[in-house]
Amino acid sequence: MPDRVYLDWNATTPLRPESRAAMTAAFDLVGNPSSVHAEGRQARRVIEEARESIARVLGAAPRNVVFTSGGTEANVLALSPGLRAPAGPVERLLVSAVEHASVLAGGQFDRKELSTIPVTPSGVVDLERLRAMLAGGPPALVSVMAANNETGALQPISQVAEQVRQAGGILHVDAIQAFGKIPFNVSELGVNLATVSAHKIGGPKGVGALMLGAGIEGPAALLRGGGQERGRRAGTENVSGIAGFGAAVKAAMAALDADLARVGSLRDRLEAGLRQTTGVVVFSSDAPRLPNTTLFAAPGMKAETAVIGFDLAGIAVSSGSACSSGKVQPSHVLEAMGASSALAQGAVRLSLGWSTGPEDVDRCLEAWRKLSLSLLKRSGETELERF
């Protein structure tokens, strides 16, 4: 669509030119990557080059990167009771209250083996509560995301990893929102398993990966059949998708430092403008966050109405609420943070990316000026100060 502004980069990103070129070249490959002839070896080479690129960024061994159909499958594969911790097989699963739905569902664990780790009002995992939950119980698999997809809040992964290590457990990190946006090295952080996804960094949809740390046994394969991915995930690999993933990783990392500063500056400019409307709340603003993410709400504002209003103004944004069977439910992330239901139901997420420019931020703020006046007046908040 012409003249549209895309501010929903945490949902998915445009396909990078480098990724498109790599995928186009891979479409012409004839061989099955499991075949031993020249055509098969050529396809296998493309997969292994992408695997090495991802492993290099994560600080992992290439042989421990397992390609999947996306982040959800990678999370479910990781959350396996078949894993062995230093103190023995894991018998329970601890997940933070702000995780993605694929983690909150417990993966392959029985629901009775799952416990939820509370978070602070800033959306950061409560380390004292985690320490208490780890103490005195059987070995645990702990899952804490690196960066929240709604608020952008960064979790204290190294501190979590230390607690889990001392308790003889295993730490899984959903790094899907962090990977390619901020530095994330599993060796430096002490992470045992990590999941990443291609389409959050300019790669294609439908490709993800699970990283297994050194010494991790398992997890049990979800898909059994052929011996692909060293027996961890059966099925012929998505050669073109994996090629696009590898190219996107290289492009994202080449621009990482510059994007961190530029996008962070634009996010600060955006939030300064939003706060000129009295009553606007920016969630997790007192915690370390991704440089591209703003989740905000204003008294009396309904998220679905605001999202439609932004869309009609030519701006794509997301709601902080999830729709299920036609019923709008407050964000589980904001509920866990203790936000009021009324405020949570009005949360709108703005997320920026590598092609976002100052003019996009200014256009968003201009749309907000008009929207806030009409939406908040309609709800009776007529005393709010305007731009």
Side-chain angles (χ1 to χ4, degrees):
M1 296 182 184
D3 300 319
R4 295 279 298 179
V5 173
Y6 187 73
L7 297 180
D8 199 17
W9 291 72
N10 282 11
T12 195
T13 60
L15 191 65
R16 291 180 185 267
E18 298 89 344
S19 184
R20 185 184 301 276
M23 293 176 70
T24 299
F27 283 138
D28 291 330
L29 296 178
V30 175
N32 186 312
S34 294
S35 298
V36 297
H37 48 59
E39 289 82 358
R41 295 197 304 273
Q42 188 177 15
R44 171 57 54 190
R45 190 177 306 115
V46 169
I47 292 175
E48 296 311 318
E49 287 176 355
R51 198 189 310 274
E52 289 174 7
S53 296
I54 295 166
R56 189 177 305 113
V57 174
L58 288 172
R63 66 179 180 276
N64 288 334
V65 174
V66 183
F67 287 114
T68 66
S69 66
T72 290
E73 183 191 338
N75 280 337
V76 175
L77 178 59
L79 303 184
S80 169
L83 292 167
R84 290 189 63 86
V90 296
E91 299 180 27
R92 55 190 178 127
L93 174 64
L94 309 181
V95 306
S96 90
V98 295
E99 297 299 308
H100 185 271
S102 60
V103 172
L104 289 174
Q108 302 173 68
F109 279 82
D110 190 290
R111 294 288 297 182
K112 69 177 182 293
E113 299 166 335
L114 185 152
S115 299
T116 303
I117 310 162
V119 297
T120 69
S122 297
V124 176
V125 67
D126 188 325
L127 292 172
E128 290 304 315
R129 292 293 298 276
L130 172 59
R131 182 178 289 106
M133 294 173 74
L134 286 169
L141 172 61
V142 177
S143 184
V144 175
M145 65 188 354
N148 188 260
N149 52 307
E150 293 188 24
T151 66
L154 303 179
Q155 300 297 338
I157 296 300
S158 60
Q159 294 170 270
V160 171
E162 179 61 19
Q163 288 193 15
V164 173
R165 186 192 64 79
Q166 290 180 356
I170 292 177
L171 175 62
H172 163 254
V173 173
D174 177 343
I176 290 169
Q177 286 294 341
F179 186 62
K181 295 178 184 175
I182 59 173
F184 183 83
N185 184 292
V186 296
S187 299
E188 294 174 358
L189 294 171
V191 173
N192 303 115
L193 304 102
T195 47
V196 294
S197 178
H199 77 104
K200 304 295 187 180
I201 59 168
K205 301 173 182 65
V207 185
L210 168 65
M211 187 289 305
L212 305 175
I216 295 296
E217 298 181 28
L222 290 173
L223 299 178
R224 299 181 178 88
Q228 293 89 349
E229 297 301 292
R230 293 179 171 83
R232 294 159 174 160
R233 204 268 188 183
T236 301
E237 294 93 340
N238 177 0
V239 178
S240 60
I242 291 170
F245 194 178
V249 168
K250 290 180 180 179
M253 297 312 297
L256 181 64
D257 291 340
D259 280 348
L260 275 171
R262 189 187 66 82
V263 174
S265 177
L266 289 175
R267 193 274 308 273
D268 292 345
R269 174 176 177 164
L270 177 62
E271 291 184 357
L274 292 171
R275 285 190 169 105
Q276 291 186 39
T277 298
T278 301
V280 162
V281 173
V282 176
F283 297 100
S284 295
S285 61
D286 56 348
R289 285 181 294 158
L290 290 173
N292 78 317
T293 306
T294 295
L295 182 69
F296 80 101
M301 182 174 76
K302 295 298 182 184
E304 60 270 32
T305 306
V307 169
I308 292 170
F310 273 115
D311 191 45
L312 292 174
I315 302 167
V317 304
S318 287
S319 168
S321 301
C323 292
S324 177
S325 301
K327 183 178 180 182
V328 176
Q329 302 287 346
S331 159
H332 74 277
V333 172
L334 296 182
E335 284 188 325
M337 291 166 57
S340 69
S341 178
L343 201 60
Q345 289 184 2
V348 172
R349 184 185 68 189
L350 310 174
S351 48
L352 289 58
W354 62 81
S355 67
T356 306
E359 67 281 1
D360 299 320
V361 170
D362 292 344
R363 185 168 163 188
C364 178
L365 290 174
E366 178 61 29
W368 171 244
R369 281 192 278 268
K370 297 174 181 177
L371 278 170
S372 60
L373 183 61
S374 60
L375 292 174
L376 299 179
K377 268 189 175 180
R378 193 181 308 162
S379 69
E381 300 290 338
T382 54
E383 77 283 2
L384 294 181
E385 176 184 327
R386 298 299 157 198
F387 287 85

